[in-house]
Amino acid sequence: MSGSTEQAGVPVTVDLSALPVLGPAACAQVLLLIRLLRNLAAPARVVVVGVASTVRSCLAAGLPDGVQLVDRRGRVWGG
C-alpha cells in the first residue's frame, strides 16, 4: 500500500463544539480554515463536528469536496 492510500483512510477532525455560538459573520473565516485544512490533508477527508445551527447553512453551502459537516444534533452534510 502506498502512503497516500493509508492517509486517505484517516480523516482530519475539527471539533467546534467547545466554541461559543458563532454568528454568520464567522462563516467566512471558518470556511477558509476548512478549505486550508482540506488542501493540506488531501487526499484525507476533513470532518467538522459540533457545528452550531447559526452557521450550519452557510457552511454547508460552501463545503468543498471531501469535507463532511456534522451539526450539534448529529445531522450530516457533504461527504
Side-chain angles (χ1 to χ4, degrees):
M1 267 190 178
S2 70
S4 63
T5 303
E6 292 173 15
Q7 182 184 10
V10 180
V12 174
T13 303
V14 178
D15 187 354
L16 301 180
S17 62
L19 292 177
V21 175
L22 299 171
C27 189
Q29 289 87 358
V30 176
L31 275 173
L32 176 62
L33 172 66
I34 291 169
R35 287 186 186 114
L36 288 171
L37 285 172
R38 177 63 184 130
N39 288 336
L40 290 171
R45 217 169 26 109
V46 174
V47 180
V48 183
V49 299
V51 176
S53 61
T54 54
V55 291
R56 179 186 61 231
S57 60
C58 68
L59 290 179
L63 285 180
D65 291 338
V67 177
Q68 187 176 52
L69 183 76
V70 183
D71 73 3
R72 293 180 178 179
R73 293 183 175 184
R75 294 176 290 192
V76 179
W77 285 265

